[in-house]
Amino acid sequence: MNIRHLTFRLLQVYIAVVRTGSISQAAVQLHLTQPTVSLQIKRLTEAVGDQLLEVRDGQYQPTFVGRELYHAALDALTRFDDFNGFLSDAAQGNKGHFSIGVVTTAQYVLPRLLSPYAQQYPGVDVTFNIGNRGSVLQRFQNQMDDLYLFSHPPTGDHVISGRFLRNPLVLIAPLQHWAAQGQEVEFIELVNERFLMREPGSATRMVFENWLREQNFQLHKTLQIESNEVIRLSVETGLGLAIISEHTLAQRADSKVAIIKVRDFPLTSHWYLVRHGDRRLPIAAHNFIEFMNAHLAEWVEEKYIRNELAVLLGSR
C-alpha cells in the first residue's frame, strides 16, 4: 500500500459507504455526486492494492482487508476529531500549560490564588519554579517561564509588570521579647538587637535596607539566613529579630512569634505579576491573569488588594 496516497477525504468517503452500504446514500450524506464517490473508492482501492468492498444482499460490504481498513480509518479519524477538540479547548485556554517563576516568599501567596483557577480549569497544567530572587531574575532574563511573581520586579523596556497585592513587611520578635508587650516602640530602641537578614538581593532585605538608609539607622548585629521559614523558627527560639512578610505569618496559625508595634511599620511593599515583553504569552496564562483580575477580591482581604493586572493583558 502506498500510504502517501491516502487522504482524510478518501477515508471519510470509505467510512460513509461502509456505514450506509450504498454509493448513492454515501453521496447524499457527504453532499457529493455518485460518480465522485465511486471515483474516490476506486482511488482508495488502488492505494491499498486490494479489494475493499463487495456486494452482498444488494449492499456494499467490506472485504476481509476492507474491515481492517475500516477500523484503521475510524481510529485515525476519531483521533483527529479528538485533536480538533483539543485545539478548540487550547484556543479557549481550557487546556494547555504555562509556567511561573516564583520567589521563595511568594510560595505563601500563590497557592491561594492558583487553587480557584485550577478548579475552574482542570485541563491546564501549571509548573512552579521556586528560587531566591537572583535565580528567578536569571530565569526571567533567559525567558524560561511565562509569568513571574516578584515583590521587587526587574526593570527595563522588556518588563511588563502589574501590582496586585500589598505585601506589608512587619518586624517580628520572640513572644517573650520585651518589645512584644503590645506598646509601640521606636526603632532606635532596637538597633542593638541581632537582626536575622535574608541574603543580599532579597527584595525584603532591599526594602528594609533602603528604609534604614532613609532613616539614618545602622544595625550593629546581623545574621544572614537564606530562608524565611528558618528565619521564623530562629526568631521563635530567641536568636534575633527579623523583617518578614505579613502574608508569611498569616499562613502559620501555630507561629510562636509576635509582631512588634514599631513607628513607621509595616514597611510598604507589593507583589507583582511579571511577564517578559519578548515572550508570547500562552492563552492559558492569559486566562490565568484575567481570572485573577476578575476574582482577586474573592480570595484576598480587601486591605491587601492593589490590582493593576490589566497592564499584562495588552498583548499575548
Side-chain angles (χ1 to χ4, degrees):
M1 178 179 72
N2 191 341
I3 197 168
R4 291 178 298 175
H5 293 165
L6 296 181
T7 66
F8 285 135
R9 193 54 169 167
L10 287 178
L11 296 179
Q12 287 172 335
V13 169
Y14 180 65
I15 288 172
V17 171
V18 172
R19 284 176 171 173
T20 63
S22 166
I23 295 289
S24 60
Q25 289 184 39
V28 171
Q29 186 179 93
L30 297 171
H31 305 289
L32 299 172
T33 64
Q34 290 188 41
T36 298
V37 172
S38 297
L39 180 60
Q40 299 281 49
I41 294 298
K42 182 175 182 293
R43 287 177 177 171
L44 183 60
T45 301
E46 290 172 352
V48 173
D50 209 324
Q51 192 67 26
L52 301 176
L53 296 168
E54 59 186 5
V55 178
R56 295 197 303 268
D57 299 325
Q59 288 193 317
Y60 284 97
Q61 301 288 331
T63 63
F64 176 74
V65 172
R67 282 197 301 272
E68 288 302 308
L69 177 63
Y70 176 71
H71 293 310
L74 285 177
D75 288 346
L77 295 184
T78 298
R79 184 66 185 89
F80 276 92
D81 282 343
D82 290 344
F83 180 63
N84 189 50
F86 169 82
L87 287 178
S88 177
D89 283 339
Q92 298 174 38
N94 296 324
K95 287 187 178 179
H97 170 267
F98 67 93
S99 62
I100 306 180
V102 181
V103 293
T104 50
T105 48
Q107 62 186 303
Y108 298 99
V109 175
L110 191 58
R112 282 188 291 162
L113 309 176
L114 192 59
S115 179
Y117 171 81
Q119 292 175 24
Q120 181 155 331
Y121 294 93
V124 177
D125 294 324
V126 184
T127 301
F128 286 81
N129 295 294
I130 301 174
N132 61 28
R133 185 172 184 274
S135 65
V136 178
L137 276 175
Q138 190 64 47
R139 295 188 68 87
F140 175 83
Q141 292 165 3
N142 294 333
Q143 300 183 44
M144 296 176 67
D145 302 291
D146 301 300
L147 296 171
Y148 302 84
L149 196 55
F150 287 101
S151 57
H152 196 285
T155 58
D157 294 338
H158 54 287
V159 178
I160 303 175
S161 67
R163 293 183 292 187
F164 66 99
L165 282 183
R166 289 184 173 86
N167 181 35
L169 301 181
V170 296
L171 180 57
I172 60 173
L175 291 175
Q176 66 275 17
H177 191 274
W178 65 266
Q181 308 311 310
Q183 296 182 346
E184 185 177 83
V185 300
E186 298 289 339
F187 190 84
I188 190 65
E189 302 176 64
L190 303 169
V191 292
N192 291 321
E193 300 278 344
R194 179 189 291 112
F195 278 78
L196 311 182
M197 307 282 284
R198 287 290 304 274
E199 72 282 0
S202 157
T204 300
R205 178 165 176 166
M206 291 168 62
V207 171
F208 184 37
E209 288 182 335
N210 286 340
W211 183 82
L212 290 173
R213 282 192 293 271
E214 290 172 358
Q215 303 299 319
N216 201 29
F217 288 130
Q218 185 172 356
L219 303 180
H220 300 292
K221 292 181 288 185
T222 62
L223 179 64
Q224 183 175 309
I225 301 176
E226 297 187 7
S227 164
N228 275 331
E229 187 63 13
V230 176
I231 285 177
R232 184 187 62 79
L233 292 172
S234 299
V235 171
E236 283 187 3
T237 62
L239 187 58
L241 311 184
I243 304 296
I244 200 166
S245 168
E246 188 174 299
H247 292 287
T248 302
L249 297 179
Q251 303 304 306
R252 297 301 302 255
D254 60 340
S255 183
K256 298 180 178 60
V257 299
I259 297 177
I260 301 178
K261 294 180 181 179
V262 185
R263 186 184 298 275
D264 295 331
F265 275 72
L267 300 182
T268 301
S269 178
H270 293 87
W271 288 115
Y272 292 77
L273 197 62
V274 180
R275 53 174 291 205
H276 198 292
D278 295 336
R279 183 181 173 103
R280 183 182 182 277
L281 195 64
I283 295 174
H286 189 273
N287 280 3
F288 174 62
I289 299 170
E290 286 188 326
F291 192 80
M292 285 182 59
N293 192 44
H295 299 283
L296 195 59
E298 300 173 19
W299 315 324
V300 182
E301 292 181 60
E302 186 176 352
K303 66 177 182 178
Y304 292 124
I305 295 177
R306 182 65 183 272
N307 192 351
E308 300 173 357
L309 291 175
V311 68
L312 281 85
L313 297 171
S315 63
R316 295 179 184 174

